[in-house]
Amino acid sequence: MTSSEIDESAIAELNRLRDSIDNIDAAVVHMLAERFKCTQQVGHLKAAHQLPPADPDREARQIIRLRELAESAKLDPAFAEKLLNFVIAEVIRHHETIART
C-alpha cells in the first residue's frame, strides 16, 4: 500500500465516522425536542393544578436512574448526571414561565 492509499483509506474512514456522528447528533436533537414536548405538557398540568415547577424527589430518582443507565452503557455517569442536570434546569425554567402565564 502506498502512502496516498493509506491517506485515502483513512480519510474515507474518517468521513464515514463523521457521517455517523452527524446522524447521531440529529437523532439526539430530535429526541430532546420530543422530551421537551412532553415536559411542556407536564408544565401546563402542574400550572393548572398549582403544583411547583420543580420536583426534587423525582429529579433525584432520575439522576440515580440515568447514572445507572450510563454505567451499563459504558458512559461516564458523572457526564450523564451533568447532562441531565442541564436538561432539568431548562425544564424547570420552562415550567416557571408556564406558571407565570
Side-chain angles (χ1 to χ4, degrees), residues 27-77:
V28 167
V29 167
H30 287 282
M31 292 301 297
L32 282 172
E34 285 300 311
R35 188 185 196 288
F36 278 104
K37 285 178 190 174
C38 290
T39 60
Q40 288 288 69
Q41 292 175 357
V42 168
H44 287 289
L45 187 61
K46 284 181 172 184
H49 295 277
Q50 293 81 44
L51 296 170
D55 184 345
D57 290 337
R58 163 119 172 114
E59 294 158 22
R61 287 191 310 274
Q62 284 297 93
I63 288 169
I64 291 167
R65 181 178 159 271
L66 209 65
R67 285 184 68 92
E68 290 171 354
L69 287 170
E71 285 180 22
S72 69
K74 306 289 189 256
L75 181 67
D76 179 4

